[in-house]
């Protein structure tokens, strides 16, 4: 859920998604869910040897989370210090609920 | 997420599968697993970025795990651009071309095995 939350803060930004089949897709992030399925607008395929059929895509495109290898985020849009602190808090909270059980 | 996907219903979409195949058709349904139903689906087979064939598949359901991505292709202009670059051929013709490409690959592998026996399967 944590990573979904991070990506949700980046909705409206341009991101690049690299797939497990070496395809690189860039687009404006429109939506993301708990499986890291992402929906991109104005998609552009960056890989040189990309199948020509992908040029037919027009508008938004949905990428399945399980096929994603990397997501490249715009570094200036992510407060990594805040991210680190939030991670500490979530980890501490998780530990707390575990010891309560 | 599913709110956004509802926008694609009734639109002509492209589905890209994990085995590298492409399907075009009208999106009729989807669910939380990413299963999809396409009506009037056609499989678009492309060989060597130069020729393609559309094979009618009717009403087709895709199991979500096989889908890499899908998205609307609601643009005649893109389709025309595609048709300018690639030649449309019959299903028989595209299968022959696929066969030829596969045989070329097999011949190349045989030659590699003769020239580089140390790299033959199982030798390493």
């Amino acid at each position: 859920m944590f990573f979904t939350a991070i990506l949700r803060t980046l909705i409206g930004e341009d991101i690049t998604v690299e797939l497990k089949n070496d395809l690189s897709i860039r687009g404006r992030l429109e939506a993301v869910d708990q499986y890291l399925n992402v929906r991109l607008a104005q998609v552009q395929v960056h890989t040189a040897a990309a199948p020509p059929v992908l040029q037919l895509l027009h508008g938004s495109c949905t990428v399945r989370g399980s096929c994603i290898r990397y997501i490249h985020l715009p570094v200036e849009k992510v407060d990594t210090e805040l991210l680190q602190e939030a991670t500490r808090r979530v980890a501490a909270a998780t530990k707390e609920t575990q010891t309560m059980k | 997420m599913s709110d956004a996907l509802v926008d694609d219903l009734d639109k002509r979409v492209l589905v890209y599968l994990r085995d590298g195949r492409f399907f075009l058709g009208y999106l009729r349904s989807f669910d939380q697993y990413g299963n999809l139903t396409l009506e009037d689906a056609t499989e678009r087979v492309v060989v060597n970025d130069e020729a393609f064939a559309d094979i009618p598949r009717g009403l087709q359901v895709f199991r979500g795990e096989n889908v890499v991505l899908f998205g609307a292709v609601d643009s005649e202009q893109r389709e025309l651009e595609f048709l300018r670059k690639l030649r449309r051929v019959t299903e028989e013709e595209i299968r022959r071309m696929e066969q030829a490409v596969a045989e070329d690959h097999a011949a190349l592998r045989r030659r590699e095995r003769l020239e580089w026996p140390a790299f033959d399967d199982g030798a390493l």
Side-chain angles (χ1 to χ4, degrees):
Chain A
M1 279 315 272
F2 195 49
F3 281 83
T4 313
I6 298 162
L7 281 167
R8 285 236 165 94
T9 65
L10 292 167
I11 284 175
E13 303 296 337
D14 277 343
I15 62 166
T16 304
V17 176
E18 189 180 321
L19 305 186
K20 289 178 185 172
N21 63 3
D22 293 337
L23 210 63
S24 246
I25 300 172
R26 191 170 172 77
R28 212 187 56 226
L29 185 63
E30 259 189 1
V32 58
D33 67 10
Q34 75 265 40
Y35 308 108
L36 293 198
N37 296 327
V38 295
R39 190 169 164 88
L40 301 172
Q42 295 151 21
V43 284
Q44 287 175 305
V45 182
H46 275 288
T47 321
V53 185
L54 287 176
Q55 299 303 324
L56 292 174
L57 287 174
H58 183 71
S60 301
C61 153
T62 306
V63 183
R64 191 178 166 87
S66 67
C67 296
I68 294 174
R69 186 185 288 145
Y70 310 120
I71 302 179
H72 303 278
L73 307 175
V75 69
E76 67 280 4
K77 301 287 180 190
V78 185
D79 187 341
T80 44
E81 241 167 77
L82 192 71
L83 178 63
Q84 191 175 309
E85 277 316 303
T87 307
R88 262 192 237 288
R89 275 203 302 278
V90 170
T94 317
K95 202 173 161 191
E96 216 166 87
T97 51
Q98 271 169 356
T99 48
M100 282 199 308
K101 271 179 199 166
Chain B
M1 189 75 188
S2 65
D3 293 348
L5 295 188
V6 170
D7 293 345
D8 283 340
L9 280 178
D10 200 33
K11 285 200 181 123
R12 197 164 140 78
V13 297
L14 172 74
V15 178
Y16 181 24
L17 300 185
R18 272 199 315 191
D19 63 1
R21 295 206 266 183
F22 292 97
F23 289 82
L24 291 158
Y26 293 92
L27 186 67
R28 294 298 179 214
S29 77
F30 64 84
D31 64 9
Q32 72 270 39
Y33 305 109
N35 299 322
L36 306 171
T37 312
L38 291 196
E39 192 176 357
D40 291 331
T42 53
E43 182 184 347
R44 182 159 285 190
V45 184
V46 179
V47 173
N48 282 346
D49 291 2
E50 58 172 53
F52 76 98
D54 279 338
I55 300 156
R57 296 285 188 216
L59 185 66
Q60 184 147 337
V61 173
F62 299 91
R63 191 176 155 86
E65 62 183 325
N66 301 301
V67 175
V68 174
L69 63 84
F70 69 95
V73 292
D74 259 356
S75 164
E76 241 171 71
Q77 197 202 331
R78 302 272 178 124
E79 181 78 19
L80 287 173
E81 231 167 82
F82 185 87
L83 291 172
R84 257 205 305 281
K85 285 184 203 149
L86 287 91
R87 182 164 51 93
R88 187 194 285 276
V89 298
T90 61
E91 184 180 350
E92 293 75 36
E93 177 70 13
I94 207 81
R95 294 299 177 212
R96 264 199 300 278
M97 294 174 77
E98 273 184 329
Q99 184 81 31
V101 169
E103 278 164 15
D104 279 355
H105 279 292
L108 189 66
R109 271 200 303 278
R110 275 197 301 277
R111 202 162 65 229
E112 279 171 354
R113 235 172 263 161
L114 284 173
E115 288 168 9
W116 301 94
F119 293 98
D120 197 355
D121 293 350
L124 286 176

